[in-house]
């Protein structure tokens, strides 16, 4: 007993010492010094090192909470783990539809469940606050019984999404008052997701903190996430490391992976490759495929300072090892190789090869890979834009549980992007995403009911969906609520509420983009009455703060006379600001204006210079325009080699260029120049071929 205490004390001292040089001294008098130690003792007895990993490997029967009359009790969902394919068979037939599911755990009834009943982790990691790490290869199983689907809500009189939330919350608070650590964690989850209450990240952090101090491993991981990302608490990587170490000491693999990430230098933490290697190796020894992959990446990147020399021999070359795993049917290896070739990370960039790996992983059940394959087709990255293929893979990812992909399917049907427009299907797919609390889909449903597009116009339901999206932190929805409260549409007029929601939206990081979306609504008359003055005002709010897309949009309004009097000189000023701020569309528009002398003196040389800046950022219209200028030889000296180089890139996206045009250009070249043109084309494709979409606002459906 004394020996265990001594080891624990030394471990904590090491963590504090390792963090101090970067972040200062860690406070010792933590927020909850009176946490009941009996729960810590119970957890140490019940959660032995590696117990959770072994439980998953054995694929136990689903654990069910004891019978109770309380409605707050949740039950575990059954976990499905795919059998590992035979390497030889998988190498031959790699299209076997083996679906590998991530664990998608639910918290049981906290009032009735006892520590000895627990054989699986109690609650899933919530990464809703981290858009950049949205892993979609897990399948969404049955929703909790107390939660209505978005479709059900949409077809019934307006209800709260969780009709039992008001009954559940007092039960949990009562259990928490008795020291139930699982109630602490469940309350943290409720306040994080806004289940029957307003989203309150500070309260969520407070409750998760209580569960973490009481010794619950996954609560310690979540609390570490909060410190790492600054969710409800000040961002502090040293605190995050402290909590991850606490969870890792209880055998929690997720904590080991988080420590590996931090020591790799992620999230602004000073890198320590040796410690990263140590934690990934420990997680790999417990069966983590992700840790195994990260070890390969660390070894392939070198600079291990002599650490793990024997491990290098064991794991071998990263790319070779990953390729062998992929050929054996390892889905995660396929996804990792796709990422490596897509980003050129340690290998020569090869997007077509990355696409093949993504498609192979998608066949095996990776929603993330399916979504990435869809993005390549949708945006034309390294390949021709193919809306039909994009739709297939977005649907595939959506069927595998990706809310983001379901939203993209709805968006494509709403806009008719490469497919026939179908508002009914758009609404259905939006509802599927909204059912997973995807805020963009909820806001899109609000737009449909507000504008009467695809559904009968019904302001109360529009207000409902905007409110749901706002609860999940959608800035655009908050601005729309401000407008609806001011107008009294779907709700009683309330100026104070209008100001409150406006202020909430204005404080968001993406407030300028949301203001532009409101401006576009006014400009085209979608979801809001067509009003040029209001569009000008909303664009100006963002433009005067230096937001380049808003500056370019004002240039468009004033140059075209969209709902306002044309003013070419003022338009050129806004285009100049947008171009100076690095926006390719602004550079392109300014270049054309200087070449044609619209609102300014003609300056072809300066105009071509701005077109080149946009073309170097892979802006297709600028690349096409440069090709045309070199082809015609009017503004610049005729140069068929450069014309071919720029047109060969824009051929896949620009309808004005046809293979016949390129064929004519080649025919008129002198034979000695044709080979040079092909070589220049390949060089341009490598340097400027990645499609840039800085000008595109795909968040707002076209009308």
């Amino acid at each position: 007993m004394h020996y265990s205490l001594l080891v624990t004390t030394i471990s904590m001292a090491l963590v504090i010492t390792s963090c101090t040089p970067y972040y200062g001294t860690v406070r010792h008098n933590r927020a909850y010094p009176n946490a009941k130690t009996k729960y810590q003792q119970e957890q140490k007895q019940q959660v032995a090192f590696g117990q959770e990993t072994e439980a998953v490997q054995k694929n136990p029967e689903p654990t069910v909470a004891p019978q109770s009359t309380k409605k707050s009790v949740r039950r575990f969902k059954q976990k499905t783990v795919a059998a590992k394919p035979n390497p030889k068979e998988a190498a031959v037939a790699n299209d076997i539809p083996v679906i590998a599911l991530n664990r998608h755990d639910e918290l049981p009834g906290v009032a009735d469940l006892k520590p000895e009943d627990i054989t699986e982790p109690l609650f899933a990691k919530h990464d809703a606050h981290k858009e950049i790490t949205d892993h979609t290869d897990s399948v969404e199983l049955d929703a909790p019984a107390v939660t209505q689907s978005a479709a059900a809500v949409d077809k019934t009189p307006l209800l709260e999404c969780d009709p039992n939330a008001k009954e559940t919350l007092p039960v949990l608070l009562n259990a928490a008052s008795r020291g139930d650590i699982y109630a602490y964690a469940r309350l943290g989850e409720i306040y994080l997701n806004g289940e029957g209450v307003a989203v309150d990240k500070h309260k969520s952090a407070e409750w998760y903190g209580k569960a973490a101090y009481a010794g619950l491993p996954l609560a310690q991981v979540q609390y570490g996430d909060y410190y790492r990302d600054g969710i409800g608490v000040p961002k502090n990587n040293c605190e995050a490391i402290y909590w991850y170490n606490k969870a890792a000491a209880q055998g929690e693999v997720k904590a080991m992976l988080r420590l590996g990430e931090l020591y790799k230098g992620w999230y602004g933490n000073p890198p320590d490759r040796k410690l990263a290697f140590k934690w990934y190796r420990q997680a790999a020894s417990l069966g983590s495929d992700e840790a195994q992959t990260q070890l390969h990446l660390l070894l392939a990147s070198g600079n291990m300072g002599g650490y793990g020399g024997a491990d290098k021999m064991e794991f071998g070359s990263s790319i070779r090892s990953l390729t062998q795993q992929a050929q054996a049917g390892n889905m995660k290896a396929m996804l990792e190789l796709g990422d490596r070739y897509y980003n050129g990370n340690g290998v020569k960039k090869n997007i077509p090869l990355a696409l093949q790996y993504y498609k192979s992983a998608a066949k095996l059940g990776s929603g993330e890979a399916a979504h990435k394959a869809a993005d390549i087709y949708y945006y034309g990255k390294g390949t021709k834009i193919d809306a039909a293929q994009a739709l297939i893979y977005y649907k595939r990812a959506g069927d595998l549980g990706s809310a983001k992909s379901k939203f993209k399917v709805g968006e494509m049907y709403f806009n008719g992007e490469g497919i026939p427009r179908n508002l009914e299907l758009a609404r259905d797919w939006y509802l599927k995403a909204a059912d997973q609390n995807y805020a963009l889909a909820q806001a899109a449903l609000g737009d449909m009911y507000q504008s009467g597009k695809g559904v009968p116009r019904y302001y109360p339901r529009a207000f409902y969906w905007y409110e749901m999206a706002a609860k999940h932190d959608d800035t655009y929805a908050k601005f729309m609520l401000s407008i609806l409260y001011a107008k009294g549409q779907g709700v009683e007029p309330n100026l104070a509420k209008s100001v409150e929601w406006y202020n909430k939206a204005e404080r968001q990081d993406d407030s300028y983009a949301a203001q532009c979306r409101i401006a576009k609504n006014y400009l085209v008359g979608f979801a809001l009455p067509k009003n040029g003055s209001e569009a000008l005002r909303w664009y100006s709010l963002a433009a005067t703060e230096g937001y380049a897309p808003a500056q370019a949009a004002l240039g468009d309004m004033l140059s075209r006379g969209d709902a306002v009097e044309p003013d070419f000189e003022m338009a050129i000023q806004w285009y100049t600001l947008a171009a100076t701020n690095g926006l390719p569309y602004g550079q392109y528009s300014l270049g054309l204006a200087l070449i044609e002398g619209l609102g300014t003196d003609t300056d072809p040389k300066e105009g071509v210079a701005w077109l080149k800046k946009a073309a170097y950022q892979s802006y297709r219209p600028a690349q096409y325009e440069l090709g045309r200028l070199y082809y015609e030889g009017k503004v610049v000296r005729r140069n068929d080699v450069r014309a071919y180089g720029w047109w060969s890139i824009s051929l896949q996206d620009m309808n004005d260029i046809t293979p016949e045009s390129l064929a004519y250009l080649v025919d008129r070249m002198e034979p000695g120049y044709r080979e040079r043109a092909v070589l220049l084309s390949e060089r341009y494709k490598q340097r400027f071929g990645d499609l840039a979409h800085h000008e595109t606002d795909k968040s707002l459906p076209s009308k």
Side-chain angles (χ1 to χ4, degrees), residues 158 446 449-450 456-467 481 484 488-491:
L158 297 182
Y449 281 105
Q450 183 72 10
R457 177 174 287 168
Y458 186 39
Y459 293 135
R461 182 139 296 153
F463 179 88
Y464 168 79
W465 283 116
Y466 287 137
E467 189 175 42
L481 286 177
L484 295 184
Q489 286 186 342
V491 66

Side-chain angles (χ1 to χ4, degrees), residues 175-220:
S177 68
R178 301 195 306 270
D180 190 323
I181 61 174
Y182 307 117
Y184 296 161
R186 180 69 180 106
L187 285 166
E189 184 182 35
I190 282 177
Y191 280 109
L192 174 65
N193 297 327
E195 299 176 29
V197 297
V199 173
D200 191 328
K201 294 174 182 176
H202 295 287
K203 284 188 178 180
S204 176
E206 179 181 349
W207 284 112
Y208 272 128
K210 289 188 177 186
Y213 280 107
L216 195 61
L218 280 176
Q220 292 169 340

Side-chain angles (χ1 to χ4, degrees), residues 249 253 461 684 686:
V253 174
R461 182 139 296 153
Y684 277 3
Q686 290 178 5

